[in-house]
Amino acid sequence: MKHWRVEQVSWDRFDPSKLDPEIVPLVKAAAMVERNGDDYAIYLKRVFHDDPDFQQAAENWALEEIQHGDALGRWGELADPGWDYAEAFARYRAGYKIDLNADASIRGSRTGELIARCMVETGTSSYYTALGEASEEPVLKEICRLIAADEYRHFKLFYDHMKRYLAREDLSFLRRLRVAAGRIGESEDDELAFAFHCSNEEPGIAYSHARCIAGYMGRAMNFYRFRHIERGMGMVFKAVGLEPRGRLSDLAARGAWRLLCWRRDRFRAALAQEAAPILARAA
């Protein structure tokens, strides 16, 4: 069951004077990805076709993901009154598709699939925490707090099922680490870049992965602080079977923070080099 409903958000507290123009495009793009949760549920239910407990969990998870998209989309329409959430999502759905016909995990095992899901929830929990802390707009702060809490619970959901399958499949530490690293690396694939395109660029503009991933990451990475990376690294370590707190986790977090800062600066430089702004309208 959902832990909150879109109608319960304090929409009457929306304050346009506290909007950050760097955050608005990110929220609109995030709405696309979150709303697409029903497709991922179909995929997961087919991978776990003989596990009714997990199938039910996947259905409940998808309901909350869809709600995240709807809440972010509604906020996006308040922040940018000329933006149409439903229209943007229809474009996204038409152009970005996952393989719904899979009968086995693309990660090579069910344990691997659940580790990959843990990585996604780690990233989203950290991201919405960072975004909520950076925003001064009260309604967005509330939405981000609610979503971040959901994503942390989702991490625990997938982690608990992962432990159950790990006992059966006995996936080695190196294979678990490989799956986790691979899924983290996919954060710069077309899922987010195309979401940025559909939610922030006019339909007549041709999609460019390089331009759109820079538009998204150059903004998103700017809101992270070391504490968000440190917490996220602890969750990653836990998912792959390492001690989530300790010297190794601390070293990994510091390395990840340096890498993020380097990538952020490269994406920001790419944004600055754009000859003409592509965003459909000022947020």
Side-chain angles (χ1 to χ4, degrees):
M1 295 179 63
K2 296 177 182 178
H3 287 245
W4 54 279
R5 297 190 306 277
V6 173
E7 313 85 70
Q8 293 175 314
V9 173
S10 304
W11 297 105
D12 59 331
R13 298 180 60 213
F14 178 75
D15 187 347
S17 71
K18 295 184 177 179
L19 291 177
D20 183 338
E22 289 282 281
I23 288 180
V24 176
L26 299 177
V27 172
K28 294 194 293 185
M32 306 293 99
V33 178
E34 296 284 345
R35 180 60 183 79
N36 208 32
D38 50 355
D39 268 4
Y40 282 98
I42 293 171
Y43 163 76
L44 289 172
K45 286 169 68 177
R46 288 181 176 171
V47 170
F48 294 86
H49 58 86
D50 57 352
D51 186 342
D53 287 343
F54 182 79
Q55 288 193 328
Q56 184 60 59
E59 287 184 6
N60 293 338
W61 166 82
L63 286 175
E64 293 192 340
E65 293 295 299
I66 291 168
Q67 177 171 263
H68 297 169
D70 289 344
L72 293 168
R74 181 169 172 176
W75 186 90
E77 290 182 328
L78 289 174
D80 181 359
W83 184 62
D84 189 322
Y85 164 54
E87 180 181 292
F89 182 66
R91 286 177 61 200
Y92 181 68
R93 189 73 172 244
Y96 181 81
K97 299 180 183 297
I98 65 172
D99 182 9
L100 299 181
N101 296 315
D103 57 2
S105 172
I106 60 173
R107 311 296 169 184
S109 68
R110 290 180 172 183
T111 302
E113 183 63 48
L114 292 165
I115 290 172
R117 296 315 311 172
C118 284
M119 295 306 100
V120 173
E121 305 305 332
T122 295
T124 52
S125 175
S126 300
Y127 177 60
Y128 289 112
T129 298
L131 209 60
E133 290 178 357
S135 176
E136 295 184 3
E137 201 293 302
V139 177
L140 183 59
K141 289 186 80 71
E142 179 183 359
I143 293 170
C144 287
R145 176 181 57 79
L146 291 168
I147 295 178
D150 280 351
E151 305 293 28
Y152 187 77
R153 283 190 299 99
H154 294 165
F155 171 87
K156 187 177 186 306
L157 166 76
F158 291 121
Y159 177 76
D160 289 344
H161 282 281
M162 184 271 291
K163 288 196 299 181
R164 182 162 62 91
Y165 274 96
L166 183 60
R168 305 178 190 179
E169 297 177 336
D170 194 25
L171 209 65
S172 71
F173 167 72
L174 287 178
R175 288 179 64 188
R176 282 181 277 165
L177 187 62
R178 191 177 302 119
V179 169
R183 186 59 186 86
I184 292 170
E186 291 172 16
S187 62
E188 294 177 18
D189 66 8
D190 279 322
E191 183 179 32
L192 281 171
F194 193 66
F196 185 87
H197 168 67
C198 293
S199 56
N200 291 288
E201 298 185 345
E202 295 289 358
I205 297 173
Y207 170 61
S208 163
H209 175 83
R211 182 187 69 241
C212 292
I213 200 65
Y216 185 88
M217 291 295 184
R219 292 173 173 85
M221 288 180 169
N222 217 35
F223 296 110
Y224 281 98
R225 299 295 178 263
F226 176 70
R227 63 182 178 274
H228 305 129
I229 303 305
E230 185 178 36
R231 177 174 175 268
M233 189 56 66
M235 295 168 72
V236 171
F237 267 45
K238 182 175 181 178
V240 299
L242 292 171
E243 178 59 44
R245 292 288 177 267
R247 180 171 175 77
L248 184 59
S249 176
D250 182 62
L251 288 172
R254 293 182 185 281
W257 173 245
R258 286 193 291 269
L259 178 61
L260 181 144
C261 291
W262 178 74
R263 297 289 289 165
R264 176 199 62 202
D265 293 345
R266 285 175 63 89
F267 283 128
R268 296 294 291 182
L271 276 175
Q273 288 173 4
E274 285 292 327
I278 301 295
L279 287 183
R281 60 187 68 83

